[in-house]
Amino acid sequence: MRALLVRSLQEHLDSLKTLLDSKLDQIQQTGDLICHTLAAGNKVLICGNGGSAADAQHIAAELVGRYEQNRRPWPAIALTTDTSTLTAVSNDFGFEEVFARQVHALAVEGDLLIAISTSGKSPSILRAVEKARELGCRTLGLGGCDGGELLKTCDVSLVVDSNRTSRIQEAHITIGHLWCEMVDQLFENATGLPRGHYDGG
């Protein structure tokens, strides 16, 4: 059992070291996209299944509530939280439409969809990306393994180099926290940008 724990913790450390060694540019690029979306007065929509649904909610909560600084709330919506909508859409249109239908209802041109899928192959996530692009939204894929179709369909993607779902998800929430730190930093340096996007609550 001790060997199992050591192996899993080492895998976790290796996945984070890969982020540090080879993914910093992509983390900054994707974080910049989030910051620019919010600075322009647009909102962020986030979706994922299973553990990725929890990550979607976690990231949205950090943006709407706060991460580490007391600052204005940012408009972020996890498309994974309304059980009536989730069950109605799944029942009436099929589960593949569960996020795309919400994107159609809520998104406007200039918004950003963050699509999370450890495999990059989830049909419900790919349909949401397709719908977001139809509406003129930017799309950010957060994936794992080889990136799957998600890597090919999003405007920008960030893929964690691991084949274990648990290690990918651990890296995903680390990336989510880094994005939130970038947003906090944006707020600190917002004096030269349009005040309407940063003041108030």
Side-chain angles (χ1 to χ4, degrees):
M1 191 64 68
R2 185 178 181 84
L4 179 151
L5 296 174
V6 169
R7 184 180 72 247
S8 291
L9 284 170
Q10 189 60 56
E11 288 176 350
H12 173 77
L13 293 174
D14 289 345
S15 67
L16 295 186
K17 189 173 187 304
T18 299
L19 295 183
L20 180 62
D21 291 344
S22 63
K23 301 289 183 177
L24 277 181
D25 287 345
Q26 290 172 278
I27 294 172
Q28 182 172 354
Q29 179 190 24
T30 51
D32 283 343
L33 179 56
I34 294 168
C35 290
H36 292 159
T37 298
L38 297 174
N42 288 98
K43 62 183 174 293
V44 176
L45 306 175
I46 318 170
C47 61
N49 293 299
S52 298
D55 289 342
Q57 293 165 217
H58 188 154
I59 295 168
E62 304 282 25
L63 292 172
V64 172
R66 68 168 186 172
Y67 179 60
E68 292 180 336
Q69 297 184 26
N70 286 327
R71 40 75 173 162
R72 62 148 289 173
W74 295 107
I77 304 171
L79 305 179
T80 55
T81 57
D82 185 339
T83 54
S84 295
T85 295
L86 295 173
T87 53
V89 172
S90 298
N91 186 65
D92 295 346
F93 299 96
F95 190 77
E96 289 187 9
E97 296 295 320
V98 71
F99 301 126
R101 189 82 176 173
Q102 295 184 73
V103 169
H104 198 176
L106 298 171
V108 298
E109 185 175 355
D111 286 348
L112 172 65
L113 175 70
I114 300 176
I116 310 174
S117 172
T118 56
S119 69
K121 301 174 182 176
S122 172
S124 62
I125 300 301
L126 296 175
R127 276 289 297 125
V129 170
E130 180 183 347
K131 180 55 67 176
R133 291 174 66 90
E134 288 175 10
L135 296 172
C137 300
R138 299 300 301 277
T139 54
L140 190 170
L142 186 58
C145 301
D146 63 359
E149 287 298 311
L150 191 65
L151 178 63
K152 304 172 187 176
T153 56
C154 288
D155 295 314
V156 294
S157 295
L158 178 51
V159 176
V160 174
D161 297 328
S162 174
N163 292 314
R164 286 196 69 183
T165 298
S166 54
R167 303 292 87 86
I168 295 168
Q169 290 174 336
E170 289 159 8
H172 279 180
I173 200 56
T174 298
I175 292 165
H177 280 164
L178 292 172
W179 288 340
C180 291
E181 288 189 40
M182 291 180 68
V183 170
D184 276 6
Q185 183 68 29
L186 171 72
F187 173 74
E188 283 187 346
N189 297 329
T191 54
L193 295 167
R195 290 182 57 83
H197 296 313
Y198 301 96
D199 291 345

